[in-house]
Amino acid sequence: MSGSTARVVLPTLAAGQFLMTLDSSVMNVSIATVASDVGTTVTGVQTAITLYTLVMATLMIPGGKVGSIIGRKRAFALGCVIYGAGSLTTALAPNLPVLIIGWSVLEGIGAALILPAIVALVAGNVAPEGRPRAYGLIMAAGAIAVAVGPLIGGLATTYASWRLVFVGEVLVVAVILAVARKIDDAPVEVRPRLDLVGAVLSAAGLGVAIFGVLRSSEWGWVLPKPGGPAILGVSPTIVLILAGGLVLWLFVLWEARVTTSGGEPLVPMAMFGNRQFAGGLLMFFFQYLVQAGLFFTIPLYLSVALGLSAIDTGLRIMPLSITLLLAAAGIPRFLPDVSPRRVVRLGLLAMFAGIVWLFLSMDVDAGAKIVTVPLLLAGLGIGALASQLGSVTVSAVPAEQTDEVGGLQNTATNLGASLGTALAGSLLIAILTSSFLTGIENNDQVPQEVAAQAQVSLAGGIPFVSNADLEVALAKADVPEATAQAVIDSNEEARVDGLRTALAALALLALLGLFFSGRIPVKQPRSTAPVAADGDPVPTGGLS
């Protein structure tokens, strides 16, 4: 690929990746306003967010296969058209059902076609030696969208309307479609068939399991929360996860049968026996597991615990975007023969160090400045992983399987993101509730009858609210001033306890990822650098 072509292809594909991950982070800071505009509740908008993630995750594998049937470039363009139609529908949505159709369904379907195609188009347009940097830039675009989304959403919601974000997406999609004509597409020499049974089984299994995970904070993981739904005495979450796992086992059996009979499986199961490919997928899972949990907790700390505006919250998260982009683009460019395994391990350690620094610094008297250095470290770690993992997975399999790689890679990231958000949210609310109830029970300023009533009515979970919102609620309830202040103080301490516990769990997950990093290769794909006796490339200066 020529330099001029590269200057067109990579920004175009990066713009597609950016759009796919922008929506949720934008909507997270605008939920209350969106709910009011479309005549629903905050829970209604959160349902739309959940369904968007669900549609993407369940259709990624079939979406990747469609690319190998109709062509990667055509799948990318078709996905952009569907996504653009969804964005326009969302921008004009008068009510929640239309919002769900536009955002959750149409944009989710579009993303399921676009994201796997991006992986294959990078492989088809970039020479092997340039792919680590290319994949680093593409992955960085998605992570930056999560980081700057609150800032974009805050600016639009504060000074105009959240609908402008989706109008802007339509315009960006139009530009992408106009420029995408310059992207090369490998011709489809043998047109494969879509394994419909496999597609249904994979979508159903993933959909049921992920839906259970996403509802865990409201239902509980195993035991049902007080007042929540139950199935045979247990939480629907664990029932749905087990049911989804059973359907996925049937999917594996079906794929093995299709392969044995000489058919074309949706996913060749032999790919998972490839140590490098399986290791790359696992690291993608851990990256997004920790990353999503971090992006869930940090905005809560800044916007709710500290009361910062959406704009200020976005600005405080910007240090992460800076080091993320520097690492994702800089490592492949200046250290093209660096050991992928070493970069991944250093990246996980940087994320671990940043999260540990953050939860050790956090207390009720801490301010917004404590997030700066931890976010610089976390961004460096995320960028380091982003610079290597895309190339690791794609280079592990033959070129004709890049569509399957794209589908599985994005399934792993969505699984990680869903589980990371759910785990962080569940731990946060559980510890917040326990700490708050213990705090008011042991506080002399809170009457015993009030504490006893709270133990019953709030046992299912306490919402994560700011001091200002809590003050308003207590004033409406005519709570005496001394009692109200005691409740506010207990809530303030409980919020920090919940946040620190969630962050500690994320640090442990980052550390756990290190134990599985041995599957990442020590040598860059198709690198010509000499290899030392221990398997690492011979150092040529700088990080190796």
Side-chain angles (χ1 to χ4, degrees):
M1 181 176 66
S2 66
S4 60
T5 305
R7 285 192 291 270
V8 172
V9 172
L10 290 183
T12 301
L13 298 179
Q17 185 81 29
F18 183 89
L19 280 183
M20 298 305 100
T21 49
L22 179 66
D23 284 1
S24 295
S25 58
V26 166
M27 296 292 264
N28 282 336
V29 300
S30 311
I31 288 178
T33 304
V34 175
S36 176
D37 284 355
V38 299
T40 186
T41 62
V42 169
T43 302
V45 179
Q46 289 175 331
T47 299
I49 295 173
T50 299
L51 289 175
Y52 176 59
T53 305
L54 197 64
V55 171
M56 279 199 300
T58 55
L59 296 182
M60 279 298 170
I61 295 176
K65 195 67 174 182
V66 168
S68 63
I69 295 173
I70 67 174
R72 289 77 180 244
K73 183 176 176 179
R74 187 174 296 174
F76 178 79
L78 177 61
C80 285
V81 171
I82 297 173
Y83 191 90
S87 296
L88 182 60
T89 303
T90 304
L92 301 174
N95 51 47
L96 181 61
V98 176
L99 181 76
I100 288 176
I101 291 171
W103 185 29
S104 307
V105 178
L106 291 177
E107 288 195 18
I109 293 172
L113 288 169
I114 293 170
L115 291 172
I118 287 175
V119 176
L121 288 171
V122 170
N125 284 267
V126 180
E129 61 273 12
R131 287 176 191 167
R133 178 172 178 266
Y135 284 117
L137 288 171
I138 297 297
M139 294 298 107
I144 289 174
V146 177
V148 303
L151 180 60
I152 295 173
L155 286 169
T157 304
T158 302
Y159 297 110
S161 169
W162 60 271
R163 298 178 188 271
L164 286 183
V165 176
F166 293 92
V167 173
E169 288 188 350
V170 176
L171 298 177
V172 173
V173 165
V175 173
I176 290 175
L177 286 171
V179 179
R181 293 176 296 177
K182 297 183 180 181
I183 298 177
D184 294 330
D185 188 18
V188 181
E189 298 177 359
V190 179
R191 198 171 296 275
R193 298 177 60 186
L194 179 62
D195 175 13
L196 289 176
V197 175
V200 171
L201 288 174
S202 68
L206 288 169
V208 169
I210 294 173
F211 183 72
V213 168
L214 291 172
R215 303 294 289 181
S216 60
S217 60
E218 297 180 32
W219 294 344
W221 284 93
V222 179
L223 297 178
K225 289 194 172 184
I231 299 176
L232 298 177
V234 298
S235 168
T237 293
I238 188 63
V239 175
L240 291 176
I241 291 174
L242 292 175
L246 180 61
V247 175
L248 288 175
W249 175 69
L250 295 175
F251 166 69
V252 172
L253 293 182
W254 173 262
E255 294 298 282
R257 177 184 176 184
V258 171
T259 302
T260 303
S261 63
E264 298 174 5
L266 185 69
V267 177
M269 289 293 111
M271 292 175 66
F272 294 100
N274 184 317
R275 180 180 175 85
Q276 177 178 325
F277 176 72
L281 287 186
L282 195 56
M283 286 301 101
F284 265 120
F285 174 79
F286 273 104
Q287 176 191 336
Y288 278 80
L289 182 70
V290 177
Q291 176 183 312
L294 192 62
F295 281 127
F296 174 79
T297 52
I298 296 298
L300 281 181
Y301 173 68
L302 294 172
S303 63
V304 179
L306 299 184
L308 298 185
S309 67
I311 297 173
D312 289 335
T313 297
L315 288 173
R316 285 290 179 178
I317 296 175
M318 285 299 292
L320 181 144
S321 301
I322 294 170
T323 51
L324 188 156
L325 185 58
L326 289 175
I331 292 174
R333 178 169 184 176
F334 297 107
L335 301 164
D337 292 321
V338 68
S339 165
R341 183 185 297 174
R342 188 165 295 175
V343 173
V344 167
R345 285 176 171 172
L346 289 174
L348 288 169
L349 283 172
M351 294 170 69
F352 172 77
I355 296 171
V356 169
W357 187 321
L358 184 58
F359 82 72
L360 290 179
S361 304
M362 191 176 290
D363 58 49
V364 292
D365 298 318
K369 64 182 181 181
I370 68 166
V371 307
T372 302
V373 173
L375 288 183
L376 287 171
L377 287 170
L380 191 65
I382 295 170
L385 268 68
S387 73
Q388 305 298 313
L389 295 183
S391 181
V392 165
T393 54
V394 172
S395 65
V397 300
E400 59 269 17
Q401 291 183 333
T402 53
D403 296 293
E404 286 87 350
V405 171
L408 291 169
Q409 179 177 298
N410 284 287
T411 298
T413 60
N414 276 282
L415 280 171
S418 299
L419 188 58
T421 303
L423 280 173
S426 294
L427 280 172
L428 177 63
I429 297 302
I431 301 302
L432 168 67
T433 302
S434 174
S435 178
F436 176 77
L437 293 177
T438 301
I440 63 171
E441 185 178 5
N442 297 328
N443 195 311
D444 295 336
Q445 296 296 325
V446 180
Q448 285 299 312
E449 61 271 18
V450 174
Q453 183 180 359
Q455 292 283 352
V456 175
S457 60
L458 300 177
I462 296 174
F464 195 90
V465 296
S466 66
N467 286 352
D469 290 339
L470 185 57
E471 287 173 1
V472 171
L474 292 171
K476 287 182 179 180
D478 294 325
V479 176
E481 184 176 346
T483 302
Q485 189 58 51
V487 170
I488 291 170
D489 291 342
S490 295
N491 183 65
E492 199 170 51
E493 294 178 2
R495 276 199 315 249
V496 172
D497 290 341
L499 286 167
R500 294 184 69 179
T501 301
L503 289 169
L506 295 176
L508 285 174
L509 290 171
L511 196 60
L512 182 63
L514 286 170
F515 287 90
F516 297 95
S517 61
R519 290 173 173 260
I520 303 299
V522 296
K523 184 178 179 182
Q524 286 289 343
R526 300 175 179 84
S527 171
T528 58
V531 179
D534 61 358
D536 275 352
V538 174
T540 56
L543 175 67
S544 62

